[in-house]
Amino acid sequence: SDLQKQEERGELLQPLIFVLLVLCSVLLYFKVSLMDPGFVKAEEELKAGKSEEQSMVIPQVPSNLKMRRCGYCMVKQPMRAKHCQVCQHCVRRYDHHCPWIENCVGERNHPLFIVYLSVQLVVLLWGGHVAWSGLYFEQSWEWLQHNILLLVSFLLIVIFTIVVLLLLISHLYLISCNTTTWEFMSHHRISYLQHSELENPFDQGVILNLWRFFC
């Protein structure tokens, strides 16, 4: 049959990989959006021990800088945590609240968020290539009527690809500096950054920053 011939020629492999990538992207989306981004627990749980990252930074931050109590949920915030007004929780290593996933991006789901963006970018680039290969341009109204949906789909894919690419690049840059979107945008308002001798006391070099984040 035609299906068997296509399989023998390897023509079904690419569509199968594309479908698997789309499925992986959907699963990652639900995983990132539904998982705990790193909500700060009750104060008694917080005293159980300091995070490795916080203890490493303390020598470069004034010793009299105490943990701040959140004015909303009344828990003591560890360093780099912030209260999210949408989620109504303090989030460890808070990066931002993402409206696309309706969840915060924090200590626990930030690496998966980067993986999700990467897979999504591959899917969009592949989809854009497929849409472009199906377009053949003619200057006629009849051509536009038959190809309007494909043309609009291609333009939407291009827009989303640019957005995802810029978002991924910006996040990878911040990760390589061991800073977060919130710290980058609000550096002048964060006490542990204002009183630090270094501009970014968390930076340990690009390689170590990436290693600690992903591994």
Side-chain angles (χ1 to χ4, degrees), residues 37-99:
F39 295 133
V40 179
K41 305 301 180 182
E43 187 175 345
E44 54 268 21
E45 295 180 19
L46 205 60
K47 290 180 180 178
K50 293 179 180 179
S51 67
E52 179 185 355
E53 185 175 52
Q54 186 172 346
S55 61
M56 287 167 50
V57 174
I58 284 179
Q60 298 156 344
V61 177
S63 57
N64 61 351
L65 191 64
K66 297 181 179 179
M67 292 176 68
R68 175 178 174 272
R69 187 177 291 278
C70 177
Y72 296 97
C73 51
M74 302 309 293
V75 298
K76 282 190 176 181
Q77 290 181 334
M79 200 174 290
R80 311 192 80 177
K82 182 184 180 297
H83 184 86
C84 176
Q85 297 283 7
V86 181
C87 295
Q88 293 298 308
H89 283 286
C90 286
V91 180
R92 292 179 181 273
R93 202 182 182 277
Y94 175 87
D95 189 87
H96 71 289
H97 182 89
C98 181

Side-chain angles (χ1 to χ4, degrees), residues 186-199:
S186 307
H187 187 279
H188 60 288
R189 294 193 290 111
I190 301 174
S191 58
Y192 59 80
L193 294 179
Q194 282 180 326
H195 299 96
S196 172
E197 297 176 0
L198 303 175
E199 184 177 354

Side-chain angles (χ1 to χ4, degrees), residues 142-206:
E142 185 179 354
W143 175 88
L144 185 61
Q145 283 182 316
H146 284 90
N147 293 273
I148 186 65
L149 289 177
L150 187 59
L151 189 59
V152 170
S153 299
F154 176 74
L155 292 176
L156 286 174
I157 290 174
V158 169
I159 293 171
F160 283 121
T161 301
I162 293 173
V163 171
V164 172
L165 179 62
L166 291 176
L167 190 60
L168 181 60
I169 290 174
S170 65
H171 272 277
L172 289 175
Y173 168 74
L174 293 175
I175 292 165
S176 69
C177 300
N178 198 356
T179 189
T180 63
T181 302
W182 172 58
E183 291 171 341
F184 182 78
M185 301 294 291
S186 307
H187 187 279
H188 60 288
R189 294 193 290 111
I190 301 174
S191 58
Y192 59 80
L193 294 179
Q194 282 180 326
H195 299 96
S196 172
E197 297 176 0
L198 303 175
E199 184 177 354
N200 180 11
F202 304 101
D203 189 6
Q204 296 180 295
V206 175

